[in-house]
Structure formats: C-alpha cells, structure tokens
Amino acid sequence: MGVRPLKQGSPLEDRLSHLLDELCVDWGFCIPPADARRIASTTPLTADQFAHAVLTAEGFVPEYEKRWFKQIRQRFVDGFGQEIRAED
C-alpha cells in the first residue's frame, strides 16, 4: 500500500504533511491531526526539531528514543536537508 506520491512543486506545508503521512504508514508514528498540522506549519524547522516534535507528539521522551530519533531525523534530511525556512 503506502502513501500516494506528492505532486511536483507542492507547497512546503503539504510536503511536510506528506512526510508525516509516510512516517505513519511506514513506522506507525500516526500523530494526532492537531500536532501534525502544527509541525507541518512550523518554520524554520530543523531535522532535530522535527524528530523531537514527532516523538513528543507520539508520547515518547525523545532523549530515550535515540534509534527512532535518528531514523526520523534522517527521513527529514533526505527530503528537506538539515533545515527548512518559510521561503523554501
């Protein structure tokens, strides 16, 4: 199954929402919609901030979830680099 591909040139918030959807489908990190909207609309946003926000929204203590933190952070870096800003 999986997540539908995102259209080329989609707005940043849509691309972040898409990444959150992928994390839900691929790894079960299905965070509450209000948290997903908040994370997707946050800029600037670093890879570390993103991973921390996802784990916190799932009820984890990010400092104790080093493996998941690293994996989520890497998915962000793969799609966006180390940091995104509103103009991206």
Side-chain angles (χ1 to χ4, degrees), residues 2-3 6-8 27 39 41 54 59 74-75 78-79 82 88:
V3 178
L6 195 59
K7 291 181 182 176
Q8 192 74 1
W27 295 336
I39 294 168
S41 65
V54 169
Q74 189 59 52
R75 288 286 286 264
D78 291 347
Q82 295 292 329
D88 288 344

Side-chain angles (χ1 to χ4, degrees), residues 14-55:
D14 290 351
R15 294 185 347 233
L16 283 167
S17 293
H18 189 263
L19 175 56
L20 290 168
D21 289 344
E22 287 179 344
L23 294 179
C24 178
V25 170
D26 294 348
W27 295 336
F29 287 99
C30 303
I31 63 177
D35 290 321
R37 284 190 298 276
R38 179 183 48 78
I39 294 168
S41 65
T42 300
T43 55
L45 183 64
T46 66
D48 286 350
Q49 290 169 327
F50 178 80
H52 192 278
V54 169
L55 288 169

